[in-house]
Amino acid sequence: MKKLILASVLLGATATVSAGDTITTDSAAITQGIKEGTEVRMDGEVVQALGDERYLLRDRKGQFEVELDDDLTANRPLKAGTQLSFTGEVDHDDGRSVVDVKKVHSVKGTTTNSPSATISN
């Protein structure tokens, strides 16, 4: 019972469950090993484009990598400083934890084709 309570307290510090079994979480929980295939909702700021539809993002707890199909951003690559809110699925790929973005809720900031674009889905 003590282990269950402790685990609940630790998980609650970095992730909360919302409607549809989607976990609202942050980079700390992703890097600490949320189970592969878990659907997560996150916010972050683009640090850099890594190529092949991958981006390095940061939030208040650290950095994490996402895979973001170009069609989710109207085929406009994102620049550093762009703020994202999205839902995706955790994938542990070659020793890295990556969030495969399924739905973009909002994009605020700079894209390469428009200096002050705001895209909402």
Side-chain angles (χ1 to χ4, degrees), residues 6 12 18 30-31 38 52 73 85 98 102 109 118:
L6 179 59
S18 61
I30 297 297
T31 58
T38 301
D52 293 327
T73 60
S85 178
V98 177
K102 302 296 184 192
T118 299

Side-chain angles (χ1 to χ4, degrees), residues 10 14 27-34 97:
L10 291 175
T14 57
S27 60
I30 297 297
T31 58
Q32 290 172 4
I34 287 181
S97 295

Side-chain angles (χ1 to χ4, degrees), residues 5 16 34 40 44 49 52 61 64 83 87 89 94 97 104 116:
I5 292 170
T16 57
I34 287 181
V40 295
D52 293 327
K61 299 232 178 157
F64 58 101
Q83 298 289 324
T87 302
E89 188 175 288
D94 297 328
S97 295
V104 174
S116 60

Side-chain angles (χ1 to χ4, degrees), residues 7-71:
S8 297
V9 169
L10 291 175
L11 183 59
T14 57
T16 57
V17 177
S18 61
D21 296 322
T22 299
I23 299 173
T24 300
T25 193
D26 57 35
S27 60
I30 297 297
T31 58
Q32 290 172 4
I34 287 181
K35 183 179 173 185
E36 184 163 338
T38 301
E39 187 173 303
V40 295
R41 181 170 178 137
M42 299 181 71
D43 298 311
E45 177 183 335
V46 174
V47 174
Q48 75 181 75
L50 302 173
D52 293 327
E53 299 182 329
R54 290 183 181 242
Y55 294 88
L56 181 63
L57 275 65
R58 74 172 154 233
D59 63 12
R60 67 188 188 288
K61 299 232 178 157
Q63 296 184 343
F64 58 101
E65 189 176 326
V66 299
E67 183 172 327
L68 177 63
D69 292 336
D70 288 337
D71 61 335

